Amino acid sequence: MSTEHPNQFALLGQRRFAPFFWTQFLGAANDNIFKFAFTLMVTYQLQLSWLEPKMAGLVIGALFILPYVLFSATSGQLADKHDKARLMQLVKSLEIAIMAIAAWGFWTVNVPALLGCVFLMGLHSTLFGPVKYAYMPQQLNERELTGGNGMVEMGTFVAILLGQLLGGVLVDTPVVGPQHVAIACLVLAVLGRATAQAIPASPSTDPGLVINWNPITETWRNLKLAHEHLAVFRSLLGISWMWFFGAVFLSNFPAFAKEVLHGSPQVASLLLAVFSIGIGIGSLLCEVLSKRHVEIGLVPLGAIGMSVFAIDLYFAATGLPAADPYTVAGFLAVHAHWRVLADLGLLALFAGLYSVPMYALIQLRAQPSHRARIIAANNILNAVFMIASSVIAGAMLGAGLTIPQVFLAVGIANAVVAAYIFLIVPEYLLRFVAFVLTRIVYRFRIVHDERLPTKGAAVLVCNHVSFVDAVLLMAASPRPIRFLMDHQIFKIPVLGWMFKLAKAIPIAPAKTDPATYEAAFAAARAVLQDGEMVCIFPEGGITRDGTLQPFKGGVMKLIDGLPDVPVIPMALGNLWGSFFSRVEGGKAMTKPLRRGFWSRISLTVDEPLKPADVSPEVLQERVAKLLAAPTA
């Protein structure tokens, strides 16, 4: 494995990431200083007949989200058409102008001007969002995308938390509070523009694009573009659902703290802090757990955790005795409240595990020429789902449900939605099974995984040791693999169902079933012509004695007429004798712990071969050398 970038924090020392990271961090912090300070000022310090305190938060939130609906389609086109670094610099210049108006508004206590600036800052964020997520895959490779997205998600939520805390402290300063907020917002806008200047050039992916200024038709077009790749489209829906889920909790923290937990406003801030820290930790854990690949197997794990801890939060928060408003210290002194905080923190942590791989998958698999437009469509969907979240949660509360009951309903709904997504996009479920198998059942080491291509057609050739070889290779690959597999394996309970979900291609011996044999190679060649990867096990079956069997000529039939498709030899090592391999007279899947728990296995990837250099004998020799090497 390459050690050039040992972990995601190393990116903060590189120009291609650090200026971009601090630019988006400062922007998110500035948004929240401004919005939170303004909300508190209207709620506690001013008496406006036309903007009641209880409506202030809703009005400010709606004004901020509105530009996402109106202008996301246009912002996505701009990000695809222009250099992304230059566009970010222009957007940050716009932020300085907006904050200059806001500073005047705070100084003169001009509420209409500040409401206008809320809308304009929403526009600023709308313009910045698509270019932010489209910039990363141009600067980071596949092995860095998960870590980069984790850093950005962590940075965003830390910036939100710090921004709200700082906004609250500044605006509460007697007499000069609004002026202090004005100065802070202007300073952060200037700092953001300075860091943006250092962002390296990121050329246009579609310079000839003609802008369609109609947001309705352009949004529909972007959704159709996303729908061409179902995994990308379902990921858009999955992320939007996460925002629906999260918005229910974030929007109800103040009332939850006051009415259910009997806490002061500072307790509500504590809940926000715990939630933000949880999201940050979960986002950073993604790179560690994914072994620096885009590992969508984390998504089902995240969904399970979100539901488990949302449901447990209902039980933790039900039946708490009434009390005078707790201070933070008094709140923490009650043992039952720690379970509430643990549920919130873990719920948020698993939401981070859920969302980061989906963002990375969209960036990796969306067509580069319209990647920003697809992300813009995602922003619109997010806004719609968040609005729907407010309406539905409000309706449930209006119908007499308590806040913990709303949390319970959302936790159960999350389980249903997740199950639906994973059934219609089985890749998530399959990668989750592979994730569990390679981190709990086995200790799986991959040697030279950088040799697995992140794009383009390729034929993978591997020894066949067990019934889960295909699952292990799924876990090692950054992209889907289509497997040519013995048709008999599809008859095995559970495994057969999994391989059908994975769209494995059944193959039978040419002598016994020539039609299936020919159909299998036709299907596999079509996959290669579409630029995807195919894996073949040239031994023709699982080894019965642990030794490498002679390679058959099927791989030659597969690559015939495809001179540009590389063939990559691979070797699964130390898998013989495990639960899923044949042993003891040909039996398999007996005595689960016969090799002990968490046994070591490996996959070693060789250098790609040109089709002209391939023969069954050459491939067998290559795989045999990989197996004999100490790393195998």
Side-chain angles (χ1 to χ4, degrees), residues 378-401:
N378 181 55
N379 289 343
I380 295 171
L381 286 175
N382 290 350
V384 170
F385 272 63
M386 289 171 71
I387 293 167
S389 167
S390 298
V391 172
I392 293 172
M396 287 194 287
L397 292 170
L401 271 69

Side-chain angles (χ1 to χ4, degrees), residues 237-433:
L237 295 178
I239 289 170
S240 296
W241 169 257
M242 191 275 291
W243 281 106
F244 179 104
F245 180 90
V248 170
F249 291 89
L250 289 169
S251 63
N252 281 289
F253 276 166
F256 181 58
K258 180 181 178 181
E259 298 173 13
V260 179
L261 303 180
H262 313 292
S264 64
Q266 288 71 34
V267 171
S269 296
L270 174 65
L271 300 183
L272 175 65
V274 169
F275 194 86
S276 299
I277 291 168
I279 286 276
I281 293 172
S283 299
L284 293 178
L285 276 176
C286 285
E287 185 185 66
V288 177
L289 294 174
S290 67
K291 298 183 178 179
R292 300 186 64 212
H293 278 301
V294 176
E295 179 51 83
I296 62 174
L298 290 173
V299 176
L301 178 64
I304 292 168
M306 287 161 66
S307 282
V308 166
F309 292 106
I311 292 169
D312 191 67
L313 182 59
Y314 161 76
F315 292 105
T318 298
L320 294 175
D324 292 331
Y326 288 107
T327 61
V328 170
F331 179 81
L332 293 176
V334 178
H335 182 265
H337 293 161
W338 283 92
R339 180 179 171 188
V340 172
L341 293 177
D343 282 334
L344 271 178
L346 289 168
L347 178 155
L349 184 151
F350 280 97
L353 293 179
Y354 175 91
S355 63
V356 168
M358 283 196 177
Y359 275 116
L361 178 121
I362 292 169
Q363 292 165 333
L364 184 66
R365 297 196 191 170
Q367 191 70 23
S369 61
H370 52 258
R371 185 185 285 133
R373 279 169 279 173
I374 288 175
I375 293 165
N378 181 55
N379 289 343
I380 295 171
L381 286 175
N382 290 350
V384 170
F385 272 63
M386 289 171 71
I387 293 167
S389 167
S390 298
V391 172
I392 293 172
M396 287 194 287
L397 292 170
L401 271 69
T402 64
I403 293 176
Q405 286 171 337
V406 171
F407 292 167
L408 174 65
V410 172
I412 294 171
N414 181 70
V416 174
V417 169
Y420 172 72
I421 290 175
F422 304 143
L423 285 175
I424 61 174
V425 188
E427 186 183 352
Y428 284 113
L429 188 60
L430 293 168
R431 292 296 292 249
F432 175 61
V433 172

Side-chain angles (χ1 to χ4, degrees), residues 179-249:
Q179 289 91 321
H180 285 178
V181 174
I183 293 168
C185 289
L186 260 179
V187 168
L188 285 183
V190 172
L191 287 175
R193 180 61 181 83
T195 57
Q197 191 61 38
I199 297 173
S202 189
S204 165
T205 52
D206 191 359
L209 175 66
V210 177
I211 303 292
N212 173 15
W213 298 100
N214 185 324
I216 297 174
T217 58
E218 184 59 27
T219 299
W220 182 248
R221 183 188 301 173
N222 292 347
L223 290 173
K224 287 174 68 177
L225 285 172
H227 197 266
E228 290 174 4
H229 197 309
L230 275 181
V232 170
F233 184 72
R234 305 298 188 195
S235 295
L236 299 185
L237 295 178
I239 289 170
S240 296
W241 169 257
M242 191 275 291
W243 281 106
F244 179 104
F245 180 90
V248 170
F249 291 89

Side-chain angles (χ1 to χ4, degrees), residues 39 42-43 50-62 115:
T39 303
V42 174
T43 304
W50 56 275
L51 186 59
E52 297 179 14
K54 65 181 181 181
M55 294 299 296
L58 292 174
V59 171
I60 290 170
L115 287 172

